[in-house]
Amino acid sequence: MNYILLFIGFLLLIKGADIFVEGSSNIAKFFKIPTIIIGLTLVAFGTSAPEAAVSITAAINKSADLSVSNIIGSNIFNLFVVLGITSLFKDVVTEKVVIKKDYKLALFSSLLLLLLILFNYFFKGTLMLNRIGGVILLIVLVYYLIGLIKGIDSSKKTIEERKFSIKDIIFIVVGLGCVIFGGNLTVNAATEIARTFGMSERFIGLTIVAVGTSLPELCTSLVALLKGENDIAVGNVIGSNIFNILFILGITGLINPLIINIESVIDLMILIVASIILLLFGFNDLKIDKKEGICMLIFYLAYCVYIFFR
């Protein structure tokens, strides 16, 4: 039964991502909003709903380890697997302004999170993200969103004219619902299958749950790229990573101060190093080709081997 549910979950993810991208793209064209901004906000925030559900619920239940490891694991997966797999089908091309502003903010968000955790350690002797840290993360997110909104009017990108249709709204709602439900179905089924093979709960949390909650990003970015919506494909990944740290961990830190495990701090450092590597060799020429995508997938495989033995 779990294998059947896993198959159904994948079908919902793929079809949901398909109509979600189409609806989002059409709305962007109608309101003359650059598709990169739609990717960085609506699509990114929508596909991060599973991470939000898992981490916020974990924070309410005072399970800080799950809250933080889910986000860090998802962000590493987004960078190296989502972009890596999509580049195998087609070169992932991005704009210089996205790298200079949005991608660097995603990197800054990871560094800020690390600094907030270490600040508490040096002054209170505990690795943690407290409520003040949560507020700081949320303030940075609000500042970023204000900048995006202001940038809409000044954008010179030509947007295709089209008529508004209620179908587009339905596509977004139904597509997002299928993506979220399909992601949850896939995670639950995969977790049960993993348990039958004797995998530990901790390993499942670091891999299957983190990967499973990122399946919406993978499906959405891949479908967007194949549909020619490159801005949505890239914006979805970068926007999700920003949203995951600034909003989800900001909210979870606000709900309950998060006591951070030293291993999660190491994972966060790996995320920062991975982000810098991708910035230097992946986005150096404003695109990620097939060879670079393969290298990124090998890096992620090495990370999985590391956490397995850890």
Side-chain angles (χ1 to χ4, degrees):
M1 191 62 193
N2 283 318
Y3 287 101
I4 294 172
L5 291 175
L6 187 65
F7 178 71
I8 294 172
F10 275 122
L11 284 181
L12 287 171
L13 275 170
I14 294 167
K15 188 57 184 175
D18 183 30
I19 62 176
F20 181 56
V21 168
E22 185 175 341
S24 300
S25 175
N26 289 341
I27 291 293
K29 290 171 184 175
F30 175 77
F31 287 105
K32 299 183 179 181
I33 300 173
T35 48
I36 185 63
I37 293 181
I38 291 292
L40 286 164
T41 53
L42 176 64
V43 176
F45 293 1
T47 55
S48 286
E51 285 95 331
V54 170
S55 290
I56 292 174
T57 301
I60 293 171
N61 295 331
K62 297 185 178 180
S63 180
D65 251 359
L66 182 57
S67 286
V68 177
S69 62
N70 172 46
I71 295 302
I72 296 172
S74 293
N75 279 17
I76 292 174
F77 183 86
N78 285 346
L79 286 181
F80 284 90
V81 179
V82 175
L83 290 178
I85 288 179
T86 50
S87 69
L88 299 182
F89 292 86
K90 190 177 179 182
D91 285 356
V92 179
V93 182
T94 188
E95 299 173 13
K96 192 172 184 179
V97 66
V98 173
I99 301 302
K100 287 182 70 175
K101 188 175 72 171
D102 305 295
Y103 185 79
K104 287 184 178 179
L105 177 67
L107 175 57
F108 170 76
S109 300
S110 300
L111 285 167
L112 177 61
L113 176 62
L114 179 62
L115 289 173
L116 290 171
I117 293 170
L118 293 179
F119 180 84
N120 280 296
Y121 178 73
F122 288 128
F123 288 92
K124 297 183 179 179
T126 305
L127 290 168
M128 68 181 296
L129 177 68
N130 59 15
R131 288 189 172 90
I132 295 175
V135 170
I136 292 172
L137 293 177
L138 291 171
I139 289 172
V140 174
L141 177 64
V142 170
Y143 178 79
Y144 170 66
L145 292 176
I146 291 172
L148 279 181
I149 293 169
K150 287 182 177 179
I152 292 176
D153 295 332
S154 61
S155 174
K156 297 179 181 179
K157 185 171 180 180
T158 303
I159 305 296
E160 177 188 337
E161 294 283 352
R162 73 179 305 279
K163 293 182 179 180
F164 178 78
S165 172
I166 192 66
K167 182 180 74 173
D168 298 325
I169 299 292
I170 295 172
F171 271 21
I172 290 176
V173 174
V174 174
L176 182 57
C178 288
V179 164
I180 294 171
F181 182 70
N184 289 334
L185 200 63
T186 303
V187 170
N188 293 335
T191 301
E192 289 302 318
I193 292 169
R195 282 176 181 152
T196 63
F197 286 97
M199 294 183 186
S200 69
E201 291 285 339
R202 184 171 182 79
F203 186 70
I204 291 170
L206 284 168
T207 54
I208 294 174
V209 175
V211 171
T213 54
S214 289
L215 285 177
E217 283 90 340
L218 174 59
C219 291
T220 301
S221 287
L222 185 56
V223 169
L225 194 69
L226 295 176
K227 280 176 169 281
E229 297 288 355
N230 202 88
D231 284 345
I232 288 181
V234 176
N236 173 42
V237 171
I238 297 174
S240 290
N241 280 18
I242 292 171
F243 181 80
N244 285 349
I245 290 179
L246 296 182
F247 178 76
I248 298 177
L249 287 185
I251 290 292
T252 51
L254 205 56
I255 293 171
N256 270 319
L258 303 173
I259 305 299
I260 313 295
N261 191 290
I262 184 63
E263 291 174 348
S264 292
V265 175
I266 294 171
D267 290 330
L268 179 56
M269 291 178 178
I270 291 173
L271 170 61
I272 292 169
V273 172
S275 301
I276 294 171
I277 291 172
L278 185 56
L279 180 64
L280 294 177
F281 101 101
F283 280 129
N284 188 44
D285 54 356
L286 300 181
K287 74 173 183 179
I288 300 172
D289 58 27
K290 188 177 293 185
K291 290 181 181 177
E292 292 168 335
I294 291 172
C295 290
M296 289 156 64
L297 292 172
I298 291 172
F299 178 92
Y300 185 76
L301 181 62
Y303 170 71
C304 287
V305 171
Y306 159 69
I307 60 175
F308 174 78
F309 284 104
R310 186 178 71 182

